[in-house]
Amino acid sequence: MAKLKTNSGAKKRLALTGSGKIKRKHAYHSHILTKKTKKQKRNLDHFAILEKADLHRVKELLVI
């Protein structure tokens, strides 16, 4: 059987932490930033840990 390929889009957008969790960036931080408050933009700037509900689907994309 052939090797499974990692999804290129997922590879660019998601990263593994040292403990094996998957981190992602927040949405709504790419454009139309003038109407968003400084606090909102600052909080969107941090990475988030992927939710448990999405874990199985994303692990298939990343071939973990």
Side-chain angles (χ1 to χ4, degrees):
M1 193 167 108
K3 288 184 178 180
L4 292 173
K5 287 189 176 180
T6 300
N7 182 286
S8 295
K11 180 172 57 178
K12 294 169 193 170
R13 288 168 173 81
L14 305 162
L16 260 107
T17 62
S19 60
K21 295 176 185 171
I22 299 172
K23 64 181 181 178
R24 63 171 179 86
K25 290 197 87 167
H26 284 280
Y28 307 110
H29 191 61
S30 57
H31 59 90
I32 313 176
L33 298 173
T34 52
K35 62 174 76 172
K36 292 171 184 144
T37 63
K38 286 180 182 179
K39 182 178 180 180
Q40 188 178 4
K41 289 184 277 192
R42 184 173 61 244
N43 289 334
L44 289 172
D45 203 31
H46 304 298
F47 282 97
I49 300 297
L50 202 70
E51 296 296 325
K52 189 179 177 185
D54 300 320
L55 207 57
H56 179 70
R57 195 163 32 129
V58 170
K59 280 190 174 183
E60 283 182 353
L61 294 173
L62 293 174
V63 190
I64 297 173

